């Protein structure tokens, strides 16, 4: 389910800084837009979400995503490495199957199922994001390492490299692009799921959206949704750029 | 094939099974098997597996654990026969765990207050999870075909369904919750499927021609895929929410659209958002499917005097079908999951129970929404996987 495909890259290169500036400006100065929201929705008493500042909400959102992604990536890559080594090879089919089946689980349902086990708030959201984020990372680490050609490995062994050197200097660089694609999927899904995290009591950019939906305040909804949408698009563009950097370096799959 | 060229003699033929067995034993001993609570809103007291189950059930599980331990070893069974033994012992352990939980709930509630609830604990989930993985691993080792797996899966599901029908689980908290809201559950389940169906039909109607266009005019690909990718990137709740405002304005401004149900809250923004999400995989896979048709095949069809239209329908479409259906598989599973979130904008579906339950701190209600959604996604994935396998042209392999 990788969404990396050939696209007009130059046009999108300009988009990244542009949208980043827009995102930062909106996060910092959403309050200044109050007259605009008032004009658009005159029936609303308060037209800009003010129970918490938007930079605080954005920060909380980023902390949720970053903490869970850091754990997912370190555990996921380690698991992917383990099952592609000789000692762990036996576990590879099962781990691959688990990663594939797990990704059919709806993220929102996974979040809901963690609540009975971990309670409400920050912790269940982190647990759900971490578990779900693991799957694409594991899957792509395995795929990436498996696509390293056997004769490349043979050649590396022939030059007298140790297993550790082969891993760091040959396998990981060649697999890096596919691994990053997995991290990209994982982070984008987690940005979305962190938004729903506000329904289990974790503060995020979803908080104004839920507050707006519950309190019938469409302006809150738009403010939260635009920010989180921009955050996801900016992250996706940044990852796309990162992936491209590794494509130039390693011509693994020409 | 599983035997590596290790130097030391191996005792364990299946280390995966051994790991899962150790994990389930550790889980069964260390974690609570069930919880008993005075009412539906508080979390109850933990009950361990040994206290919850009857003596014969514990002995049965121990015997099955013994059989599974035997199935791990090189001697006397070896890998393949061990896998076959696992396919017998693991589902029995799964069924016994399920039956034991239901049986315990019935016994525990006979002389408790009517509000008392028994729910499943972490050890229960660990046992269900590990035994299921043992079955998956055994099938991988045997290299069993999709058909054998399907038949076996149906058999296990039928056995679990029989336990349900026999009323084994009726005393469990989650089923008591279900009986409270039975009619609403059926209605929301149907709504969930309807939303998915109403989104997928237009997605196919738009996505298939767009995919064909992307295949025939490569210049359109870049912009088409970029735009559709943006929709895939935006978090579901944000896209749902962003459609609320324009659709409510549209419903108000154009009365006949409003009469058709186009409104800010409800099914209209949900279906529209689901379509926007679903387009990318369908368009991409349709394009990839057509691109995968060997030009020589197309040339041969032309040589036989087929018209463009005949080539499309008799040659290209059948050959591209497996890839297109894989796209449908991705989209269906994705839509089932996204529809959960649609409950937040008042579209209904199983997500309604999840968010209602989260709001009331009623865990059983949350599970009643979440577990069927997961089951629905897994079943849909499996059925479409079979459809993809069937659609592969027999002679092309």
């Amino acid at each position: 389910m990788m969404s990396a495909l050939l696209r007009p890259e130059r046009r999108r290169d300009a988009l990244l800084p542009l949208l980043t500036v827009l995102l930062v400006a909106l996060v910092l100065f959403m309050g200044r837009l109050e007259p605009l929201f008032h004009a658009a929705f005159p029936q609303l008493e308060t037209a800009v979400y003010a129970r918490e500042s938007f930079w605080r909400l954005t920060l909380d959102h980023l902390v949720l995503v970053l903490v869970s992604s850091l754990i997912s990536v370190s555990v996921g890559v380690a698991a992917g490495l383990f099952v592609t080594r000789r000692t762990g090879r036996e576990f590879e089919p099962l781990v691959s199957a688990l990663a594939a089946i797990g990704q059919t689980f709806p993220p929102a349902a996974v979040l809901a199922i963690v609540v009975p086990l971990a309670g409400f708030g920050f912790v269940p959201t982190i647990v759900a994001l971490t578990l779900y984020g693991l799957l694409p990372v594991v899957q792509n680490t395995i795929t990436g390492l498996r696509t390293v050609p056997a004769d490349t490995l043979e050649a590396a062994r022939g030059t007298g490299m140790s297993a550790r050197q082969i891993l760091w200097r040959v396998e990981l660089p060649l697999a890096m692009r596919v691994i990053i694609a997995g991290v990209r999927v994982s982070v984008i899904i987690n940005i979305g799921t962190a938004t729903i995290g506000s329904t289990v009591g974790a503060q995020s950019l979803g908080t104004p959206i839920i507050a707006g939906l519950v309190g019938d305040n469409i302006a809150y909804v738009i403010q939260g949704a635009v920010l989180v949408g921009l955050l996801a698009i900016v992250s996706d563009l940044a990852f796309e750029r990162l992936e491209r950097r590794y494509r130039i370096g390693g011509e693994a799959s020409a | 094939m599983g035997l590596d060229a290790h130097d030391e003699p191996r005792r364990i033929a299946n280390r995966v099974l051994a790991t899962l067995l150790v994990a389930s034993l550790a889980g069964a001993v260390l974690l609570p098997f069930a919880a008993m609570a005075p009412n539906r809103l508080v979390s109850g007291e933990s009950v361990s597996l040994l206290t919850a189950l009857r003596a014969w059930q514990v002995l049965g599980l121990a015997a099955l654990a013994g059989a599974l331990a035997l199935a791990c070893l090189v001697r006397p069974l070896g890998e393949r026969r061990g896998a076959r033994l696992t396919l017998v012992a693991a589902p029995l352990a799964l069924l016994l765990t399920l039956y034991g939980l239901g049986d315990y709930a019935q016994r525990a509630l006979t002389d408790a207050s009517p509000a008392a609830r028994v729910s499943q604990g972490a050890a229960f989930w660990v046992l269900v999870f590990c035994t299921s993985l043992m079955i998956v691993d055994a099938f991988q080792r045997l290299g069993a075909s999709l058909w054998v797996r399907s038949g076996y899966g149906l058999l296990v599901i039928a056995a679990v369904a029989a336990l349900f029908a026999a009323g084994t689980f009726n005393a469990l908290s989650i089923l008591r919750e279900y009986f409270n809201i039975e009619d609403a559950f059926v209605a929301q389940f149907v709504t969930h499927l309807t939303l998915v169906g109403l989104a997928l039909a237009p997605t196919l109607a738009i996505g298939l021609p767009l995919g064909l266009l992307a295949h025939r005019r490569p210049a359109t690909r870049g912009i088409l895929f970029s735009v559709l990718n943006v929709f895939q990137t935006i978090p579901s709740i944000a896209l749902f929410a962003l459609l609320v405002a324009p659709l409510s304005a549209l419903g108000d401004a154009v009365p006949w659209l409003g009469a058709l149900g186009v409104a800010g809250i409800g099914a209209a923004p949900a279906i529209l958002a689901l379509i926007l999400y679903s387009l990318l995989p369908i368009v991409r896979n349709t394009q990839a499917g057509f691109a995968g048709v060997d030009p020589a095949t197309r040339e041969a069809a032309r040589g036989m005097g087929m018209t463009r239209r005949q080539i499309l329908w008799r040659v290209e479409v059948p050959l591209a079908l497996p890839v297109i259906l894989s796209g449908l598989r991705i989209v269906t599973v994705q839509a089932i999951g996204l529809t959960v979130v649609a409950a937040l904008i008042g579209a209904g579906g199983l997500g309604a129970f999840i968010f209602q339950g989260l709001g009331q701190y009623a865990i059983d209600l949350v599970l009643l929404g979440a577990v069927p959604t997961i089951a629905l996604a897994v079943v849909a994935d499996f059925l479409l996987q079979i459809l993809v396998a069937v659609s592969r042209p027999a002679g092309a392999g």
Side-chain angles (χ1 to χ4, degrees):
Chain A
M1 294 219 283
M2 277 172 290
S3 44
L5 266 181
L6 52 155
R7 348 189 134 81
E9 286 160 357
R10 284 210 200 107
R11 216 176 314 151
R12 290 171 68 110
D13 270 356
L15 267 177
L16 180 57
L18 207 70
L19 291 179
T20 312
V21 169
L22 182 63
L23 175 65
V24 173
L26 278 177
V27 167
L28 293 178
F29 304 115
M30 188 67 91
R32 302 273 174 87
L33 295 178
E34 188 154 15
L36 190 75
F37 282 108
H38 256 308
F41 308 102
Q43 75 279 15
L44 296 177
E45 248 173 61
T46 45
V48 173
Y49 187 80
R51 248 169 281 171
E52 195 62 80
S53 68
F54 278 100
W55 72 265
R56 178 81 237 175
L57 293 172
T58 312
L59 212 63
D60 285 340
H61 201 106
L62 285 176
V63 167
L64 281 174
V65 175
L66 284 179
V67 170
S68 58
S69 296
L70 275 178
I71 307 175
S72 299
V73 170
S74 30
V75 177
V77 171
L81 280 175
F82 173 69
V83 301
T84 47
R85 302 303 103 182
R86 210 169 94 175
T87 36
R89 202 174 293 154
E90 209 183 333
F91 289 84
E92 199 249 61
L94 188 71
V95 170
S96 296
L98 199 61
I101 299 169
Q103 285 182 77
T104 66
F105 287 25
V110 173
L111 181 65
I113 264 191
V114 174
V115 170
L117 302 172
F120 279 81
F122 186 75
V123 178
T125 311
I126 288 285
V127 172
L129 295 188
T130 306
L131 281 180
Y132 207 88
L134 261 175
L135 306 172
V137 177
V138 172
Q139 195 172 40
N140 280 39
T141 306
I142 295 174
T143 314
L145 288 170
R146 232 191 293 167
T147 49
V148 176
D151 40 355
T152 309
L153 291 178
E154 205 49 57
R157 230 166 275 142
T159 59
M161 285 170 115
S162 69
R164 171 181 291 243
Q165 282 174 320
I166 293 177
L167 175 65
W168 285 102
R169 300 208 197 147
V170 181
E171 290 184 277
L172 279 179
L174 287 178
M176 196 50 91
R177 196 177 68 84
V178 183
I179 297 176
I180 290 176
V183 177
R184 173 181 178 182
V185 173
S186 157
V187 168
I188 297 302
I189 291 177
N190 278 352
I191 290 178
T193 316
T195 321
I196 312 170
S198 54
T199 61
V200 302
Q203 186 161 278
S204 73
L205 282 171
T207 310
I209 301 182
I210 302 293
L213 288 173
V214 173
D216 217 5
N217 188 322
I218 209 87
Y220 290 181
V221 172
I222 293 177
Q223 287 146 18
V226 165
L227 286 184
V228 81
L230 268 177
L231 182 65
I233 293 172
V234 165
S235 314
D236 191 56
L237 288 173
F239 270 108
E240 190 196 330
R241 210 179 243 201
L242 195 65
E243 262 178 58
R244 221 184 311 143
R245 181 172 304 169
Y246 281 94
R247 188 167 60 202
I248 302 161
E251 225 93 17
S253 46
Chain B
M1 63 178 188
L3 288 171
D4 276 347
H6 273 286
D7 297 325
E8 76 274 29
R10 290 185 52 164
R11 294 237 172 80
I12 295 176
N14 185 342
R15 288 189 303 148
V16 178
L17 179 58
T19 311
L20 289 171
L21 186 60
V22 170
S24 29
L25 288 175
V29 174
L30 299 176
L31 296 170
F33 181 69
M36 171 105 184
N39 62 60
R40 76 194 266 265
L41 298 180
V42 297
S43 53
E45 258 173 64
S46 304
V47 184
S48 77
L49 183 112
L50 290 176
T51 34
L53 297 189
R54 293 176 201 261
W56 71 265
Q57 292 163 345
V58 174
L59 286 178
L61 281 178
L64 290 168
L68 290 167
L70 196 66
C72 301
L73 301 177
V74 172
R75 257 171 261 265
L77 292 175
E79 193 183 0
R80 290 188 69 82
R81 273 188 290 172
R84 289 205 190 94
L85 178 61
T86 308
L87 286 181
V88 178
L92 286 178
L94 174 66
L95 291 172
L96 191 53
T97 307
L98 289 169
Y99 178 79
L101 181 71
D103 187 39
Y104 165 70
Q106 276 168 1
R107 272 182 292 133
L109 291 180
T110 39
D111 36 48
S113 87
R117 297 270 186 149
V118 172
S119 51
Q120 57 289 335
F124 168 80
W125 292 117
V126 169
L127 286 175
V128 169
F129 184 70
C130 287
T131 46
S132 308
L133 288 186
M134 288 175 190
I135 295 172
V136 173
D137 173 65
F139 273 126
Q140 283 173 339
R141 277 162 204 275
L142 292 172
S145 73
L146 187 60
W147 303 111
V148 175
R149 290 176 199 215
S150 316
Y152 183 90
L154 277 178
L155 219 60
V156 174
I157 291 170
V160 176
L163 284 181
F164 266 102
T168 312
F169 307 119
N170 286 359
L172 270 182
S173 184
I174 184 164
L175 269 142
R176 303 247 310 250
E177 191 77 42
Y178 169 76
F179 292 129
N180 282 345
I181 54 158
E182 200 169 355
D183 294 337
F185 182 85
V186 174
Q188 296 291 29
F189 191 81
V190 172
T191 307
H192 203 104
L193 289 180
T194 312
L195 285 172
V196 172
L198 283 177
L200 289 187
T203 303
L204 290 177
I206 305 165
L208 296 177
L210 276 181
L212 189 58
L213 178 79
H215 168 62
R216 294 214 169 136
R217 306 246 185 293
T220 60
R221 260 175 238 169
I223 183 79
L224 192 61
F225 287 150
S226 306
V227 170
L228 294 180
N229 182 55
V230 170
F231 290 125
Q232 281 266 320
T233 308
I234 298 176
S236 54
I237 184 174
L239 190 57
F240 283 124
L242 283 176
L243 289 172
V244 167
L247 281 181
S248 76
L250 191 67
D252 291 343
V254 189
W256 65 269
L257 276 178
L260 275 176
V262 174
I265 294 285
I271 292 171
L272 191 54
L274 288 177
I275 295 173
L276 291 175
Y277 273 114
S278 306
L279 276 173
L280 180 67
I282 291 289
V283 174
R284 198 174 50 196
N285 278 43
T286 307
Q287 187 266 324
F290 281 114
V293 176
D294 188 354
T297 314
R298 215 173 276 138
E299 207 48 57
R302 207 168 295 142
M304 286 168 61
M306 281 178 143
T307 65
R308 254 185 96 122
R309 173 182 291 248
Q310 281 175 324
I311 294 175
L312 176 68
W313 288 105
R314 297 206 197 150
V315 179
E316 291 183 303
V317 170
L319 287 176
L321 199 58
V323 185
I324 298 176
L325 286 176
S326 308
L328 183 64
R329 176 181 165 201
I330 295 171
V331 162
T332 310
V333 170
Q334 184 183 273
I336 289 172
L338 290 171
T339 304
V340 171
V341 183
L344 284 174
I345 53 162
L350 290 169
F353 296 126
I354 296 183
F355 297 116
Q356 206 180 316
L358 289 175
Q360 302 173 356
Y361 296 86
I363 295 310
D364 291 314
L365 199 54
V366 173
L367 289 180
L368 213 47
V371 174
T373 318
I374 292 178
L376 197 59
V378 172
V379 168
D381 186 60
F382 191 69
L383 290 179
L384 282 158
Q385 208 177 329
I386 291 178
L387 199 63
V388 171
V390 169
S391 73
R392 293 229 161 82

